[in-house]
């Protein structure tokens, strides 16, 4: 059974937030667009949505 992907956020030098896969250290891409340049609440929401989708896909 595969381990679930762990998503996290990090702040860039400009103070905006990126959502990334903590195992690969790569930015998360949705519909061809990286989840970067977000405000903190958008990053938190994106992480929650990715976790929810991963949880649904695993069941």
């Amino acid at each position: 059974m595969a381990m679930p992907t762990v998503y996290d956020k990090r702040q860039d030098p400009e103070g905006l937030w990126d959502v990334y896969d903590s195992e690969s250290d790569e930015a998360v891409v949705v519909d061809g667009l990286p989840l970067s340049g977000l405000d903190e609440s958008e990053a938190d929401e994106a992480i929650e949505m990715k976790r929810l989708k991963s949880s649904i896909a695993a069941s």
Side-chain angles (χ1 to χ4, degrees):
M1 180 177 199
M3 294 291 295
T5 303
V6 178
Y7 301 105
D8 206 350
K9 64 184 179 188
R10 60 182 159 220
Q11 197 168 25
D12 67 21
E14 290 81 38
L16 298 174
W17 294 85
D18 301 330
V19 176
Y20 70 100
D21 176 332
S22 64
E23 288 186 9
S24 70
D25 202 41
E26 297 287 324
V28 174
V29 177
V30 175
D31 295 330
L33 300 172
L35 294 179
S36 59
L38 307 173
D39 66 33
E40 189 171 16
S41 64
E42 291 172 322
D44 289 337
E45 186 175 315
I47 291 169
E48 188 59 36
M49 292 301 292
K50 291 297 289 179
R51 286 179 182 156
L52 179 60
K53 286 183 179 183
S54 294
S55 174
I56 291 170
S59 49

